[in-house]
Amino acid sequence: MELEVRHLRALCAIADSGSVRRAARQLGMTQPSLTTQLRRIEKALGGQLFFRESTGSRPTPLGHAVLCRARPIVAEMRALVDEVASASSRAQGTRLRIGSTNSPAVAGWLRRLRGRLPETDTTIRTDVSANALLHMVAMGQLDAAFVHEVEGAPLRIPDGLVEHELIAREPQFIALADTHPAAAQEIVRVADLADDQWMVDPTVDGEWAGLRRIWTAAGVNPRVVQGDYLTAVDLVTAGEVVTPCQPTARSRPGMAIRPLHGDPLAVRLFMACRQDGTPAASPEDLCADLTASYMEIAWASDAYRAWLVRHDGPLPVATYSSHG
């Protein structure tokens, strides 16, 4: 087996994310496929590259040595691809690269941007990690990113970025089976879910910290299962788990979405771009289209609309701040 850049990229992803599972998601692969690829790489190099532990994966001494050589190669290849892409973009027209954590507002944002910039090649990159997206903006791999920051768990915002804040504090709701006793209430208390199993996605930056904080405040210690929020629907509707969700999340048959009493779990929503702006549109236009898209899906959500009416509709006027 001959090592290729994609193999080195996989090793870097495992080291950076701390686990094969998270790395597989970043690379768009299944965990078994990446595990098999890692074994082939280790066989080709003649030694174990990562210690497999219950908390994840960490490089062995051989792994550290390989990573020291691999990272510059991967960085140079990425720079080469970006340089060629930029040259092609300049020759063929303007390009706009946006990123986002999972949000129903993304489709409307893309639709508005393509209407505003019909001659621009607009592409989207999604990732569960807000920190990863912010890093990509800082490195010039994305022009702008729409992310959320869990209250009490600040993101690592690189120098040179400007934040355009959409919502300073948005409550997160809870998804549970519509047959759950608490689903009969308009507002659910965390203590009402103390005996339930909570599904948590550990790859979402700040999620664990935010949930531990509200459990401690409510005096509960629920059972926890790790999983992917995108695949949690069946378990929720079956009554196996409850899980936090965005207030804009769409309910499904068999599922109820309810706010939590006192709104203890919240996030801050903002768009980030570099201080030198974007090549295709001003940050103000990007943020205006994003805000309009977010307001559209917020008011279309039954659960969020009811919450907004009770709280006099506190949807935002965007503000911005800079770093570095």
Side-chain angles (χ1 to χ4, degrees):
M1 169 184 168
E2 291 188 4
L3 286 183
E4 302 174 12
V5 173
R6 63 188 178 94
H7 299 137
L8 303 182
R9 188 179 297 115
L11 296 180
C12 293
I14 295 170
D16 292 342
S17 65
S19 83
V20 173
R21 182 171 68 87
R22 287 194 288 268
R25 290 182 61 177
Q26 292 178 14
L27 296 167
M29 303 172 63
T30 64
Q31 181 175 341
S33 295
L34 183 55
T35 299
T36 299
Q37 186 177 93
L38 175 58
R39 287 173 180 158
R40 289 174 179 166
I41 296 170
E42 289 179 326
K43 184 177 180 180
L45 293 175
Q48 185 177 349
L49 300 179
F50 292 93
F51 294 115
R52 280 75 156 177
E53 302 171 339
S54 59
T55 55
S57 301
R58 61 185 178 86
T60 64
L62 176 60
H64 278 297
V66 172
L67 287 165
C68 285
R69 295 294 188 93
R71 290 190 190 280
I73 296 172
V74 171
E76 284 296 323
M77 181 57 68
R78 184 183 297 120
L80 172 62
V81 171
D82 287 345
E83 185 176 331
V84 172
S86 296
S88 176
S89 177
R90 288 192 295 271
Q92 299 177 12
T94 309
R95 188 180 182 199
L96 177 64
R97 302 158 300 173
I98 60 174
S100 177
T101 47
N102 180 45
S103 172
V106 168
W109 191 22
L110 280 171
R111 185 181 70 249
R112 285 176 167 83
L113 287 174
R114 286 173 176 153
R116 180 190 292 275
L117 307 166
E119 303 301 321
T120 298
D121 179 17
T122 303
T123 59
I124 180 73
R125 164 72 180 264
T126 61
D127 198 301
V128 295
S129 171
N131 281 316
L133 291 169
L134 293 173
H135 178 73
M136 293 177 72
V137 175
M139 295 297 292
Q141 297 164 347
L142 292 174
D143 297 307
F146 173 44
V147 299
H148 71 273
E149 180 179 62
V150 178
E151 190 171 62
L155 295 172
R156 300 186 299 273
I157 302 175
D159 290 341
L161 296 191
V162 177
E163 295 177 38
H164 294 258
E165 186 176 272
L166 275 76
I167 303 180
R169 189 178 193 273
E170 178 185 78
Q172 300 299 279
F173 289 179
I174 195 77
L176 63 166
D178 61 5
T179 55
H180 193 293
Q185 308 168 29
E186 286 189 6
I187 301 174
V188 176
R189 294 179 180 273
V190 174
D192 296 334
L193 309 174
D195 296 329
D196 289 285
Q197 183 168 243
W198 288 61
M199 176 173 275
V200 180
D201 187 341
T203 63
V204 177
D205 296 324
E207 194 82 333
W208 265 110
L211 287 171
R212 284 197 299 266
R213 179 176 54 78
I214 71 167
W215 292 333
T216 299
V220 303
N221 185 26
R223 293 169 294 145
V224 176
V225 59
Q226 296 185 10
D228 183 339
Y229 290 149
L230 298 179
T231 60
V233 174
D234 290 339
L235 290 175
V236 170
T237 56
E240 294 293 329
V241 300
V242 300
T243 187
C245 66
Q246 300 174 37
T248 52
R250 293 181 184 143
S251 184
R252 311 290 179 86
M255 176 189 291
I257 294 177
R258 299 287 185 268
L260 291 168
H261 180 75
D263 302 322
L265 185 64
V267 301
R268 181 173 71 98
L269 301 178
F270 65 93
M271 185 196 81
C273 61
R274 292 183 301 281
Q275 290 180 344
D276 57 1
T278 63
S282 70
E284 290 75 20
D285 285 344
L286 293 180
C287 196
D289 285 341
L290 176 56
T291 301
S293 300
Y294 203 86
M295 290 180 68
E296 181 179 65
I297 58 106
W299 286 103
S301 165
D302 292 339
Y304 200 8
R305 183 171 62 250
W307 187 93
L308 289 168
V309 169
R310 285 197 301 272
H311 293 79
D312 297 323
L315 280 177
V317 174
T319 60
Y320 77 92
S321 59
S322 63
H323 294 260

